[in-house]
Amino acid sequence: MIKARVKAETTASNMGSYSDTCKRFSWTDAEKAFDKYGSDGVNIVHEAIDRWVESRNKPALIFENGGDSRTYTFGELKEISGRWAHLLTSMGFKAGDRLFICLPPSPEIYHAMLGCARAGIIFCPLYPNLGYHDLEMRIQDAGPRGILTHPDLAERLPLDSMVSVDHLLFSQAPLPGVFPSEIAVPDALKEMGTEMTPLWHDPDAPLYLIYTSGSTGPPKGVIHAHRDMVGHLVTAQYVLDIREDTVLWTDGAPAWITGTVYSTFAPWLLGATTVIQGKPFSASTWYQTLEKHKVSVWYTTPTNIHGLMEAGEDLPGRYDLSGLRHMACVGGPLIPDRFYWVKKHLKHSVHDTWWMTETGMICLANFPSMDIKPGSMGKPIPGLTAAVLDEKGEELPLLTMGELALKTPWPALMTGIWGDEGRYQAYFTEKGWFLTGDMALMDEEGYYYHQGRMDDLIKVGEKLVGPFDIEQVICQYPGVNEAAIISKNAEGESPHLKAFVAPQKGVPTSNRLKQEIKAFVRANLSEEVPLKEVEFMDQLPRSAAGKLLRRVLRAKELGLPVDDSRGLTAEDEA
């Protein structure tokens, strides 16, 4: 924990006073912001797109791809999503059927998502670089009725599993000519009408399915519903401070839930504009995007911030970033060095947030009107109760490490794990807590601090220590770029720790450096820290969202096969 405090950037935010907002907030009141919520049925597309057409015929989606920008107004998205909905229903898709979307970055991803939601079809965005076996597992698990993909990706499709898929939609021609029921979407859409009334649902009706890998078990298909819109709107207002004039850029892929929610539905529910960048990360591309589109709110990751830092301190000054008024991040610990670098060179505080695929929305956050304690996840959003529990499910005192838990229910909480009710129920306790599997502690002012995953706990003396504290200490050692800690249980021995360390470029590795790192940890944390091993790596395995994949390191230690390409691009582990 770091005791430093950074003053709030503004008091003129949507939230205003955190304590006052929490006192008066209710989810029932939040539902009143919608046009049709609580009537005969709901549909997120009506709230996010249709109701803004007449009053705000302005840009809803800006897709940027290497200087080529395509802009779509709310009116155009209404018509495009209508064409998609007509196309899918004409092909026999019914409410509850699944469409997998496996495309490289393109506007069609977002068009298809809206079309599916309009027609009650469950969409499932996938990373386009998933391997053959990853795709096969997901197809066998969820049984999609169709897959939307690009002709260049056709060879990755698992032929044996495709017999169960009725339709294969390609975002452009020429068609591969290998699979039955191949359809060129651009040609087919021309024949479709633009008007389709949204299918009205019960709020719990499924909206999308998203796969996320955990620390144990195969990737799981998390189900989210149309009622998520209540949580999306509240967090967009209070955490990201989105207003009518906001241009939001969430730089996450749509196959990562952050991109699914906060690149699309969350800003659109407030009539705001969202920017999508189709190119892979580079510092110059990121700065150019901020400048060109006058981005006012930027939701990014610690990994991308680190990439900007590596590109140099002089680069930000070459761009006009005057439109930027608020920054937030998610996807991993925001270590103080990264926070203060942004504060110095981009002139804004980064507001760290915490949530999971399963929670469906931001749950803890540093709010624009609240002082920041660097290294903290912040406080629970209004309407949500958090606690730190012991192994018996009892609340722990302040400054005591335990499992982060959230009191159920809240609107965006997942409604299930596809085909695995037991795995779903394991998240919940009889006392109404949702168990996150993350370690945390809370200070005397109600700020929460992430301490790693529960399965990474190890006892040091009389207390439990998570990997994050040790990793932070190692990263303070000169020449270390990043570090990851796992625990090991050798037969007949007490558990001990192993560190995987990625040195900075040009730093020579040696046995002496290993010993120096061990000594540094003991000197700065505790003599009892059982750090017995250090291994150097060029880079640590991370997900596409930048989340450290300790499961890959554990598998490596156990001698189990590891698909490195999957490890570096698979879904976020949260």
Side-chain angles (χ1 to χ4, degrees):
M1 290 176 54
I2 295 172
K3 294 296 184 180
R5 180 188 290 267
V6 177
K7 294 296 293 181
E9 281 202 332
T10 179
T11 56
S13 67
N14 289 332
M15 170 176 280
S17 166
Y18 175 76
S19 59
D20 290 347
T21 301
C22 288
K23 289 175 184 176
R24 66 172 184 266
F25 181 85
S26 80
W27 290 115
T28 301
D29 287 343
E31 293 172 3
K32 296 176 183 177
F34 297 108
D35 187 34
K36 287 182 177 287
Y37 203 96
S39 60
D40 293 335
V42 301
N43 189 300
I44 197 170
V45 171
H46 172 78
E47 305 293 347
I49 301 297
D50 295 2
R51 71 181 181 129
W52 303 113
V53 171
E54 292 183 5
S55 59
R56 292 182 180 85
N57 190 21
K58 67 170 191 177
L61 171 64
I62 301 173
F63 187 85
E64 175 73 27
N65 189 25
D68 176 23
S69 297
R70 281 180 277 177
T71 300
Y72 302 88
T73 67
F74 282 98
E76 288 170 331
L77 288 184
K78 180 177 184 292
E79 292 182 355
I80 292 170
S81 63
R83 289 185 186 276
W84 275 89
H86 277 299
L87 172 62
L88 294 170
T89 54
S90 71
M91 296 169 63
F93 281 83
K94 295 179 175 60
D97 286 343
R98 279 77 61 206
L99 176 72
F100 279 9
I101 304 172
C102 186
L103 286 172
S106 62
E108 288 77 13
I109 295 173
Y110 308 94
H111 299 166
M113 287 166 57
L114 290 171
C116 284
R118 183 176 292 279
I121 298 161
I122 303 170
F123 65 86
C124 178
L126 301 174
Y127 288 103
N129 53 3
L130 281 178
Y132 183 97
H133 296 294
D134 283 322
L135 283 168
E136 183 176 50
M137 185 282 294
R138 286 156 177 76
I139 292 171
Q140 292 175 350
D141 184 57
R145 184 153 197 170
I147 299 176
L148 169 63
T149 189
H150 190 278
D152 292 347
L153 301 179
E155 63 183 22
R156 294 191 180 187
L157 297 173
L159 293 175
D160 292 342
S161 298
M162 293 302 294
V163 296
S164 64
V165 178
D166 293 339
H167 302 287
L168 196 58
L169 297 84
F170 287 96
S171 59
Q172 66 181 55
L175 300 177
V178 175
F179 304 93
S181 301
E182 293 182 1
I183 294 175
V185 170
D187 295 334
L189 286 176
K190 294 176 183 177
E191 307 299 321
M192 301 295 146
T194 60
E195 291 295 324
M196 175 178 275
T197 301
L199 183 66
W200 302 112
H201 301 279
D202 181 89
D204 284 333
L207 171 64
Y208 68 94
L209 175 69
I210 194 159
Y211 279 88
T212 180
S213 44
S215 53
T216 60
K220 50 188 176 286
V222 178
I223 307 168
H224 281 285
H226 282 258
R227 64 168 162 78
D228 284 25
M229 70 176 81
V230 185
H232 296 171
L233 182 138
V234 168
T235 52
Q237 283 182 316
Y238 290 161
V239 180
L240 300 183
D241 203 37
I242 293 175
R243 305 192 280 258
E244 291 182 14
D245 61 348
T246 295
V247 177
L248 171 69
W249 180 25
T250 300
D251 58 8
W256 180 34
I257 193 169
T258 300
T260 304
V261 172
Y262 292 102
S263 283
T264 56
F265 298 113
W268 291 336
L269 288 167
L270 292 165
T273 303
T274 187
V275 173
I276 307 292
Q277 173 54 256
K279 289 294 184 183
F281 176 84
S282 75
S284 59
T285 298
W286 257 230
Y287 288 130
Q288 287 168 4
T289 304
L290 292 166
E291 179 184 62
K292 178 178 179 180
H293 299 291
K294 296 180 173 57
V295 172
S296 51
V297 177
W298 181 21
Y299 197 22
T300 187
T301 68
T303 299
N304 286 342
I305 291 172
H306 182 65
L308 298 180
M309 292 172 63
E310 287 192 322
E313 299 180 354
D314 62 328
L315 200 55
R318 302 178 190 177
Y319 298 87
D320 179 6
L321 307 181
S322 59
L324 189 62
R325 64 173 174 83
H326 181 55
M327 282 186 65
C329 77
V330 71
L334 179 66
I335 60 177
D337 283 355
R338 297 176 187 180
F339 174 88
Y340 286 111
W341 187 92
V342 172
K343 183 77 172 170
K344 178 180 179 181
H345 298 287
L346 301 184
K347 312 305 180 186
H348 288 281
S349 295
V350 186
H351 296 73
D352 201 7
T353 67
W354 177 93
W355 60 300
M356 302 167 62
T357 300
E358 294 88 336
T359 68
M361 68 181 192
I362 299 167
C363 293
L364 281 80
N366 291 275
F367 300 92
S369 57
M370 191 173 77
D371 290 354
I372 295 174
K373 293 185 177 181
S376 167
M377 298 184 288
K379 297 182 179 183
I381 68 160
L384 198 63
T385 299
V388 179
L389 307 182
D390 64 14
E391 65 278 2
K392 297 179 181 178
E394 301 296 329
E395 294 189 42
L396 289 165
L398 299 177
L399 303 175
T400 304
M401 188 187 301
E403 183 170 7
L404 177 65
L406 305 171
K407 199 72 172 180
T408 61
W410 64 90
L413 177 62
M414 65 175 177
T415 60
I417 301 293
W418 191 269
D420 199 334
E421 180 66 17
R423 201 171 181 184
Y424 170 69
Q425 292 296 338
Y427 283 90
F428 304 96
T429 73
E430 293 180 355
K431 296 182 178 180
W433 291 105
F434 170 86
L435 301 176
T436 69
D438 280 5
M439 297 175 295
L441 54 83
M442 183 182 72
D443 71 11
E444 63 281 357
E445 292 184 275
Y447 286 78
Y448 284 80
Y449 296 80
H450 192 265
Q451 302 293 306
R453 293 289 296 171
M454 286 298 293
D455 50 8
D456 295 315
L457 278 170
I458 191 164
K459 197 167 187 179
V460 175
E462 294 302 315
K463 63 179 181 178
L464 293 172
V465 173
F468 179 59
D469 281 336
I470 303 171
E471 290 164 358
Q472 276 199 308
V473 171
I474 294 175
C475 287
Q476 293 171 12
Y477 191 79
V480 171
N481 184 29
E482 55 181 356
I485 292 288
I486 65 168
S487 59
K488 296 182 65 175
N489 291 288
E491 186 174 353
E493 298 180 10
S494 299
H496 67 271
L497 302 176
K498 178 172 181 176
F500 295 86
V501 176
Q504 294 175 359
K505 294 178 181 178
V507 174
T509 58
S510 64
N511 285 329
R512 178 174 179 176
L513 181 57
K514 292 180 181 180
Q515 299 306 318
E516 289 174 351
I517 290 172
K518 294 181 197 176
F520 186 76
V521 169
R522 295 188 183 105
N524 287 273
L525 195 59
S526 169
E527 282 290 340
E528 296 179 296
V529 174
L531 179 57
K532 292 187 178 181
E533 300 178 64
V534 174
E535 180 176 328
F536 296 115
M537 302 180 72
D538 292 335
Q539 62 179 4
L540 302 183
R542 292 187 178 276
S543 71
K547 177 77 72 172
L548 182 65
L549 297 177
R550 290 192 182 87
R551 62 176 174 79
V552 174
L553 299 175
R554 292 192 191 99
K556 178 177 179 296
E557 281 302 293
L558 294 171
L560 300 175
V562 176
D563 183 344
D564 290 335
S565 62
R566 173 183 166 183
L568 291 169
T569 60
E571 295 88 340
D572 180 73
E573 267 199 335

